[in-house]
Amino acid sequence: MKLRPTQEEILKYKSGKMAVSAVPGSGKTFTLTRLAAKLISDGRIDPAANQQILIVTYLNASVDTFRSRIRDLLQEQGLPPDQGYDVRTLHSLGLEIVRSARSSDRGNDLVVLDDAQSAHFRGLAIDNWKANWPDAWESMAPDGSVNAQRKWRRTLDKMVNTFIREAKNGRYKPADILALIHDKKTDDADFDIEGADSEFEADLSTPIVHMCAMIYADYQRIVKGQGALDFNDLIWQATELVDSAPEVVDALRKRWPYVLEDEAQDSVPLQEILLDGLTGPGGNWVRVGDPNQAITSTFTAAHPRFFNAFLERPDVQERPLPHSSRCAPRIYEAANKLVKWTLESHPVLEVRTTAFRDQEMLPAPAGDGKPNPDDDLAGLNIKVFEHREEEEIPRIAFFAQKYVEKFPERTIAVLVPTNDIGHKIAEIFDQNDAAYDNLLRGGTREREIAGGLHAALALLTEPTKKTNIGKFWEAMFRLDHPFADVEDERSEHLITLLNSVILPESLFFPEASGADALLQALPAGVTQQDDLTDIARYVQFAQRVFELGYLPIDDLIISVADELLAWHDSDAQAESNETDLAIAYQIANQVRAWADLNPEWRLPELVDQLGQIAEGRIRIATVSMDDTGFEPTPGRITLNTQHGSKGMEWDAVFLVGIDGGWIPGSLDGRFQGVDSESGVDPSAEVAAALHSLMDGGYGQFPGRSATEAAHIELICERLRLLYVGITRAKLYLHISRSRKKRQYRQEKDAEPASAIAVLYQHMIGLQESAE
């Protein structure tokens, strides 16, 4: 394939530090894989000496993509296809570095917690603090209802999570934080860190920071007691080794003389410090990313300012990739107008300087082998509805299905701002039997499967509890199991009957046989012959579940899932069951992890945790399609969040719910996460207080409070999310919002997003020029 001039410039790279700012659809993976293959073919590394080009990327799916493409390129040149390169995620890289510094008998025992496990231990640490300091807890918690108390607990969990994340990315240890809180030095012989760790002083000027620091210390104690590391610990430990162990870093630099980093705009501070130390002052480090697609800064430690600063360094060669062949002109021009308006005219001055890097998407050069889609075939539409739940959501679902009918050869996506909106659209798709792929996390189906597994294991744990008997039938019915294939009204009748069982032990473990045993167990006078037939099949199925009770918890869940889900009467059903079983497998892994980390737990405690997943109180660390690789199928709708859509593209894209609540136009509006009474964002405030305590700063925006700064960052990220959403579309882009929406059972007005007005003007200009 013919290279573009900008790609040729990048492939001239030989050594040193280089930064590539790549617009959407510019072929950054294409270019980076060719650069890796060229460095190998040019003899820049010595495979015989086990030297490799290290490629660090964001997702597991990207690892596979890079490997296969580099392998093919080397094979085309007659070179060994599996030598000279090593592709890793940051997680994998951290593991390799930490293990390389450990003795061989300890390295493979390293346990790294996933998000759900970390959240579990964080919750334990919060519970411990509450138990140790009930008066302080009561003084901080709001008065009022149980719901208010639950809300406070969720707020605190989010606040502590932010505190720990910021502390670890700043490399602040609990002892260091507590020492400064007590106005002591950690090397002061008279300072008792254990005492400070266990004494809460409410009269300190930073009681919330003190509380969070104590919870942080206890969290680290719990994690260490499990012989584990969380993700930030892993990268921190790898960074410390690179900083302080010359023999380790020398060996790593010999092994990886070149480091190529993908998705650099989403790099967290620890990642940047790690790779900087790994390459060294005169090392070879290529960073590729797009600051305008940085969409994780409000919930991780990542921020585009780090990559932007790298782009401006005097020792860094900057090589842009501005040409994109993905979008039709009217669509990439819409993205450019959004960037230009934000840089020049956004009402919040700090947003102008923070949200976007000043770079345009340019079309593919004339004569390019992959030209942009024909603008005459493209479309851009912006639609305003009266009500989100009553009009926008059902109409967009209808429009998407009609688009598929009209263009079955095209790919299409409905991208939503939140999972909640996505679940409502999914319900409509399900009602209409639409052909679609649901990429939402924590979806209805996930909870249904968890509910089915919970019902089965609850019955196994307490088979004589009447409510368990009825709930297991209900789970079978909801999961469309053929043994529960009855009408809704009949299912309700059978649930009532099963909940009224007189002798549960006679139902499942009868002394008699056949119908006589069932009649002994069921209430007299109301049980009909049809009931006996359906309930007999149900009992037969339940007894199969009882036979699995000897298995370890993960094998038990997988085996029960096989019984509940692994049946099909068509190819479409078989495909659906495979997806269901994949979800069940992830649930089994999560429950097994809980069992390993809590050896005192038995089946009842694990069943209770499973129930928490089914109720949506616990989100499991599911593997999403963007983790494993996803290719849209023509004629099928992809349902995803805007966040989840990054790295993908479709012929047609519907962006839903783009209003002023999602993209605030000023700092005066209502922001998610803000306490209604204090008017502040607790997580933002505690992060700012931590940095102020530890390094005297954190004020990115002079004169702004921590809450105002967090709101500026949120506006910036939502604008970048809109940019990402626009640039997923190749041929057709549809943006919608509503004037009213329903929140917490109340009707509320929904202000327009000022950014949409810019895109609306662009659409009107296109219509006028076509007349």
Side-chain angles (χ1 to χ4, degrees):
M1 183 179 291
K2 181 182 177 182
L3 295 172
R4 295 168 184 163
T6 49
Q7 293 171 330
E8 289 177 342
E9 284 299 312
I10 291 169
L11 295 189
K12 291 178 182 178
Y13 167 85
K14 293 181 173 56
S15 62
K17 293 179 172 59
M18 180 169 71
V20 179
S21 186
V23 303
S26 59
K28 68 177 179 64
T29 302
F30 170 89
T31 308
L32 201 56
T33 53
R34 273 156 180 75
L35 176 59
K38 188 173 186 299
L39 290 170
I40 295 170
S41 64
D42 286 351
R44 296 285 167 183
I45 53 105
D46 182 5
N50 295 320
Q51 288 189 329
Q52 297 171 310
I53 307 291
L54 173 65
I55 298 101
V56 182
T57 188
Y58 194 64
L59 298 172
N60 288 319
S62 300
V63 171
D64 296 334
T65 299
F66 273 105
R67 282 178 181 159
S68 63
R69 292 191 183 185
I70 296 172
R71 185 185 299 119
D72 291 345
L73 289 168
L74 294 177
Q75 209 158 17
E76 288 172 8
Q77 299 177 60
L79 295 171
D82 297 311
Q83 293 183 16
Y85 60 97
D86 189 3
V87 189
R88 295 181 177 273
T89 61
L90 181 62
H91 181 280
S92 170
L93 176 61
L95 271 175
E96 181 68 10
I97 292 173
V98 173
R99 282 176 174 164
S100 70
R102 291 186 169 205
S103 60
S104 58
D105 60 333
R106 291 180 63 234
N108 291 329
D109 294 336
L110 187 62
V111 176
V112 181
L113 305 177
D114 62 29
D115 289 344
Q117 292 166 328
S118 296
H120 173 64
F121 290 140
R122 191 169 63 244
L124 290 180
I126 293 173
D127 288 340
N128 289 344
W129 195 91
K130 178 182 178 181
N132 289 332
W133 303 101
D135 292 341
W137 176 273
E138 289 299 326
S139 70
M140 294 182 183
D143 296 327
S145 65
V146 173
N147 284 338
Q149 295 287 325
R150 287 176 179 169
K151 182 180 178 182
W152 158 244
R153 175 55 187 261
R154 289 195 299 269
T155 298
L156 180 58
D157 184 73
K158 182 181 177 183
M159 189 163 55
V160 170
N161 184 38
T162 299
F163 184 92
I164 294 174
R165 182 189 72 213
E166 292 294 325
K168 292 187 176 184
N169 271 275
R171 297 197 277 183
Y172 309 144
K173 296 178 181 179
D176 298 330
I177 301 170
L178 289 164
L180 282 176
I181 287 173
H182 289 266
D183 197 25
K184 297 283 187 178
K185 300 292 185 183
T186 52
D187 58 357
D188 185 343
D190 296 330
F191 178 66
D192 178 12
I193 184 60
E194 293 298 328
D197 191 16
S198 60
E199 291 295 328
F200 177 75
E201 299 179 29
D203 59 345
L204 290 174
S205 60
T206 53
I208 293 291
V209 175
H210 190 190
M211 176 183 66
C212 289
M214 293 174 73
I215 293 171
Y216 173 27
D218 194 39
Y219 168 80
Q220 290 299 98
R221 178 190 61 78
I222 295 170
V223 171
K224 185 178 180 181
Q226 298 292 333
L229 302 171
D230 67 16
F231 176 73
N232 285 317
D233 287 329
L234 175 68
I235 307 307
W236 186 353
Q237 196 169 119
T239 303
E240 292 290 312
L241 285 168
V242 169
D243 279 352
S244 59
E247 70 284 358
V248 172
V249 75
D250 286 346
L252 294 173
R253 286 174 182 171
K254 288 176 183 176
R255 177 179 173 183
W256 297 316
Y258 284 83
V259 176
L260 311 184
E261 179 189 2
D262 187 30
E263 302 290 1
Q265 78 281 347
D266 292 323
S267 176
V268 298
L270 277 176
Q271 177 176 340
E272 186 168 24
I273 295 168
L274 173 62
L275 297 184
D276 197 19
L278 189 59
T279 53
N284 307 310
W285 185 14
V286 178
R287 309 188 73 189
V288 181
D290 181 4
N292 292 352
Q293 294 188 79
I295 55 174
T296 64
S297 61
T298 58
F299 55 91
T300 73
H303 198 283
R305 67 173 176 271
F306 303 126
F307 184 47
N308 277 325
F310 187 82
L311 282 158
E312 304 300 329
R313 278 172 48 169
D315 62 332
V316 172
Q317 312 165 49
E318 183 186 357
R319 297 288 184 271
L321 275 178
H323 299 282
S324 173
S325 57
R326 174 183 293 168
C327 309
R330 66 184 58 213
I331 295 174
Y332 72 70
E333 286 170 1
N336 287 339
K337 287 183 182 296
L338 173 65
V339 171
K340 182 179 175 62
W341 170 80
T342 304
L343 290 169
E344 296 178 356
S345 305
H346 196 280
V348 180
L349 295 180
E350 294 90 342
V351 172
R352 298 183 191 181
T353 59
T354 306
F356 291 112
R357 184 175 182 82
D358 190 1
Q359 62 183 25
E360 275 195 314
M361 287 181 68
L362 302 178
D368 192 82
K370 192 177 179 183
N372 294 79
D374 189 345
D375 208 36
D376 291 337
L377 301 176
L380 170 63
N381 193 15
I382 298 174
K383 180 74 173 174
V384 180
F385 296 94
E386 284 302 317
H387 197 281
R388 175 183 291 173
E389 285 74 21
E390 295 178 5
E391 190 177 0
E392 181 182 7
I393 287 175
R395 293 299 292 171
I396 292 300
F398 174 79
F399 290 162
Q401 291 175 260
K402 285 299 180 183
Y403 191 94
V404 167
E405 292 176 10
K406 186 175 182 180
F407 301 105
E409 75 284 0
R410 294 183 182 179
T411 56
I412 175 177
V414 176
L415 304 181
V416 295
T418 65
N419 279 297
D420 180 60
I421 294 175
H423 296 330
K424 292 172 182 175
I425 294 176
E427 289 176 4
I428 297 173
F429 283 157
D430 289 338
Q431 292 168 6
N432 297 338
D433 293 323
Y436 79 108
D437 295 307
N438 189 341
L439 306 193
L440 302 171
R441 289 185 182 271
T444 303
R445 190 60 177 174
E446 180 183 297
R447 294 196 298 274
E448 285 179 349
I449 292 169
L453 295 170
H454 174 259
L457 269 61
L459 182 65
L460 177 61
T461 304
E462 295 184 88
T464 59
K465 187 175 181 179
K466 294 181 181 181
T467 54
N468 287 348
I469 299 172
K471 284 181 179 177
F472 186 45
W473 168 275
E474 185 178 3
M476 292 169 58
F477 177 75
R478 288 182 180 277
L479 292 171
D480 299 322
H481 193 278
F483 279 15
D485 185 16
V486 298
E487 297 296 327
D488 290 1
E489 186 175 341
R490 175 149 186 76
S491 179
E492 290 296 326
H493 165 70
L494 290 169
I495 290 171
T496 302
L497 200 59
L498 289 168
N499 284 337
S500 305
V501 166
I502 299 171
L503 297 171
E505 60 273 14
S506 295
L507 187 67
F508 298 118
F509 316 107
E511 295 180 0
S513 60
D516 290 340
L518 294 180
L519 287 171
Q520 289 177 10
L522 295 167
V526 295
T527 306
Q528 305 298 318
Q529 184 60 45
D530 288 348
D531 299 334
L532 293 176
T533 301
D534 288 329
I535 290 175
R537 290 193 301 173
Y538 161 80
V539 169
Q540 177 188 357
F541 185 70
Q543 289 171 337
R544 296 216 303 256
V545 172
F546 294 155
E547 292 172 358
L548 303 171
Y550 69 93
L551 294 170
I553 186 62
D554 51 339
D555 291 339
L556 173 60
I557 290 175
I558 292 170
S559 298
V560 171
D562 280 336
E563 295 289 346
L564 275 172
L565 305 169
W567 59 270
H568 52 85
D569 52 17
S570 67
D571 290 342
Q573 186 63 59
E575 182 180 338
S576 175
N577 290 153
E578 286 181 9
T579 302
D580 289 348
L581 287 171
I583 294 172
Y585 184 81
Q586 293 164 21
I587 293 172
N589 282 340
Q590 180 59 70
V591 176
R592 176 55 188 264
W594 281 326
D596 289 344
L597 293 167
N598 300 276
E600 74 281 5
W601 285 7
R602 296 294 179 260
L603 189 58
E605 288 82 10
L606 296 171
V607 170
D608 181 64
Q609 291 295 106
L610 194 53
Q612 298 286 311
I613 298 174
E615 293 174 7
R617 297 181 183 274
I618 295 177
R619 290 278 182 93
I620 63 172
T622 53
V623 178
S624 66
M625 292 293 190
D626 58 350
D627 294 325
T628 58
F630 173 76
E631 289 295 330
T633 302
R636 288 181 67 85
I637 303 166
T638 303
L639 178 61
N640 203 354
T641 60
Q642 292 175 40
H643 270 105
S645 71
K646 189 171 174 293
M648 303 182 191
E649 62 182 29
W650 294 266
D651 293 314
V653 169
F654 290 78
L655 299 179
V656 185
I658 311 299
D659 58 25
W662 179 244
I663 310 178
S666 72
L667 300 181
D668 298 328
R670 183 181 182 277
F671 287 77
Q672 292 181 352
V674 173
D675 181 76
S676 57
E677 293 185 7
S678 65
V680 301
D681 182 329
S683 295
E685 294 291 335
V686 79
L690 170 66
H691 286 282
S692 177
L693 174 72
M694 300 305 295
D695 53 38
Y698 197 56
Q700 186 186 353
F701 306 114
R704 295 292 193 181
S705 69
T707 295
E708 288 173 330
H711 292 172
I712 291 168
E713 295 288 10
L714 184 138
I715 293 171
C716 292
E717 183 161 302
R718 295 284 170 80
L719 288 167
R720 291 192 292 267
L721 264 176
L722 177 58
Y723 178 85
V724 167
I726 291 169
T727 56
R728 299 312 92 189
K730 295 192 283 187
L731 274 169
Y732 179 72
L733 175 65
H734 188 286
I735 302 173
S736 64
R737 74 167 183 91
S738 297
R739 294 187 175 93
K740 292 183 179 295
K741 58 186 175 184
R742 190 174 299 121
Q743 284 186 325
Y744 308 112
R745 299 181 182 179
Q746 294 182 350
E747 299 295 325
K748 296 187 177 182
D749 292 333
E751 295 295 324
S754 52
I756 300 302
V758 180
L759 302 178
Y760 186 80
Q761 291 173 1
H762 172 56
M763 181 187 73
I764 296 300
L766 291 170
Q767 293 172 350
E768 290 175 349
S769 63
E771 294 175 354

